[in-house]
Amino acid sequence: MKRPPPTEPLFTRQFIALGVSDLAYFTAVGVAIFALPLYVTGPVGGDEIGAGFAFGVFAVSALVLRPFAGRITDVYGRLPLLLGGTLLAAVSLALTALTEDLFVIIALRLLAGVAEAAFFVAGFAALADLAPANRLGEALSYNSLGLYLGIAFGPPVGEVLVQTWGFCIAWLGAAALALLAAALTLLIGETREDTSADPSPDLSPRRFIHRPSIPISIGFITSLIAIGGFLTFASLYAVRIGLSQASLALFVYGGVVVVCRIVFARVPDRLPSLPLGAAALGVIGAGLGLVAIWQTPVGLLVGVVIMAVGVSFSTPAFFSAIFSTATRSQRGAASGTASAAIDLGLGLGPIALGLIAGPFGIPWAFGVGAAIAVAGGIWTLLLQRRTRQRQPVDVA
């Protein structure tokens, strides 16, 4: 009886260090997610439109730089951008504590976008380096725990810091977490393999965009527009509908994603990526639509749970589909192109939905975000159908 081939290890020292570094970095981001809209509409004196713009503008610099960051990771390695991104994030967060001027905050958010581009792209490229090829979806699920645990625990940490010591300490606390993430990147070290023998034409320095990723990324963008709008206005909306703990909705969101990513970690490797992504978009739309219609604390939390279940599968599904189109030497470029979708979604979502929330109210913004996610699900299903039709048919 033939024995099955041994399974390559996933939980190596570097893999764990990458996950813990993600946790520290995204906990800092979680503090900012909670604090920023309240800071802009409070001490800064802005409104929902200003909060949406301040939240989403980081994506402008991140979007421009992500493809370049991807190419840099392929040429010079993952570690320089992992370390540089975390240090820039710490600077941006610390300086936010020193100002109540909206224009300065926007400038610092642009700097945060540079940090996001460097850290996120290099992190995903390192993850692809460290994960066994047949366990990439599982690796994405486990690695994303750092992100969603950060989003789950960052807002309550931010709420405690703001209520106890004020916004200044909250921003400085977030900066300290980013510095911790920087220290942890040194434990990861360099993960880039020697690609000098790879004959791929994409080794040209002029190739910053991984074109096969673009159609798949369009569907991914729609999920992030919906999620970006929710993250921007969740704490502000919770206050307005009378939820006693404003950070609870964000905590539930992150917690549900974490549980689902653990329980269903291997699902993305066992199901076709594009149909799974389309289904996830439909669930995200249903959850956010429920939040828009059922305007009570219970309605918010129920809708968040449904939406979070969809989010649990969307990122692993879309990134698995994207990385399946890339060779080893293209991983940085594919990561940069695909994660540019994150910038478009998290940038367009807060800004565009903020323009809706200003005159019409936050529930209307949530409703539009839900419709966009459903439209993305339809696009992804059509993409899957077109891909299947292009495959050769065996007529033997």
Side-chain angles (χ1 to χ4, degrees):
M1 182 177 180
K2 187 177 180 180
R3 294 183 179 181
T7 302
E8 295 182 66
L10 176 60
F11 293 98
T12 62
R13 176 187 61 82
Q14 289 176 296
F15 183 85
I16 294 171
L18 178 60
V20 179
S21 180
D22 285 343
L23 175 60
Y25 181 89
F26 287 109
T27 301
V29 171
V31 172
I33 287 173
F34 172 81
L36 186 64
L38 298 176
Y39 191 54
V40 171
T41 58
V44 176
D47 57 10
E48 291 89 345
I49 296 174
F53 193 82
F55 193 101
V57 74
F58 85 98
V60 174
S61 52
L63 176 63
V64 171
L65 293 174
R66 273 199 208 260
F68 295 93
R71 193 62 201 141
I72 290 170
T73 63
D74 286 336
V75 176
Y76 298 107
R78 323 313 191 196
L79 183 57
L81 272 71
L82 287 171
L83 181 60
T86 49
L87 292 175
L88 280 178
V91 170
S92 171
L93 291 164
L95 292 179
T96 304
L98 305 179
T99 182
E100 293 182 359
D101 184 280
L102 181 59
F103 292 103
V104 176
I105 291 171
I106 289 171
L108 292 173
R109 291 290 290 169
L110 287 169
L111 181 62
V114 177
E116 183 86 359
F119 182 78
F120 207 90
V121 170
F124 268 111
L127 176 65
D129 295 337
L130 297 171
N134 62 342
R135 302 180 70 181
L136 180 57
E138 182 184 1
L140 284 163
S141 293
Y142 285 127
N143 177 261
S144 67
L145 295 181
L147 189 159
Y148 288 102
L149 281 170
I151 292 177
F153 290 104
V157 170
E159 187 171 24
V160 170
L161 292 175
V162 169
Q163 291 182 350
T164 306
W165 294 288
F167 283 104
C168 180
I169 297 299
W171 293 120
L172 292 177
L177 287 166
L179 287 175
L180 175 60
L184 289 165
T185 64
L186 299 177
L187 297 178
I188 302 168
E190 184 53 63
T191 65
R192 182 174 66 105
E193 300 175 1
D194 181 12
T195 59
S196 58
D198 195 322
S200 169
D202 283 338
L203 286 174
S204 167
R206 295 188 297 273
R207 295 297 296 271
F208 296 113
I209 304 298
H210 186 249
R211 297 186 185 279
S213 304
I214 294 174
I216 301 169
S217 298
I218 291 173
F220 191 33
I221 287 170
T222 62
S223 72
L224 293 156
I225 290 174
I227 295 165
F230 165 74
L231 293 176
T232 303
F233 298 110
S235 56
L236 191 58
Y237 182 65
V239 170
R240 293 185 177 178
I241 63 173
L243 190 63
S244 57
Q245 291 182 300
S247 63
L248 181 59
L250 290 167
F251 177 79
V252 170
Y253 169 79
V256 170
V257 174
V258 166
V259 171
C260 288
R261 290 279 170 90
I262 294 173
V263 175
F264 303 109
R266 297 186 179 182
V267 169
D269 291 322
R270 296 176 178 177
L271 296 177
S273 297
L274 291 178
L276 179 61
L281 284 167
V283 175
I284 291 170
L288 194 56
L290 184 63
V291 172
I293 295 170
W294 192 358
Q295 299 173 24
T296 66
V298 173
L300 171 61
L301 296 178
V302 171
V304 165
V305 169
I306 295 171
M307 181 179 65
V309 171
V311 172
S312 302
F313 296 102
S314 62
T315 301
F318 281 108
F319 267 87
S320 292
I322 288 166
F323 277 122
S324 69
T325 68
T327 66
R328 286 187 309 159
S329 66
Q330 297 169 341
R331 286 172 179 168
S335 177
T337 303
S339 57
I342 297 175
D343 299 320
L344 281 171
L346 296 183
L348 288 174
I351 294 171
L353 299 185
L355 293 172
I356 295 170
F360 301 109
I362 295 175
W364 274 98
F366 287 161
V368 171
I372 291 171
V374 171
I378 296 171
W379 162 264
T380 305
L381 284 176
L382 293 174
L383 183 64
Q384 165 67 14
R385 181 179 179 184
R386 185 173 61 184
T387 302
R388 188 171 57 232
Q389 288 175 342
R390 287 179 177 176
Q391 293 176 346
V393 178
D394 186 2
V395 295

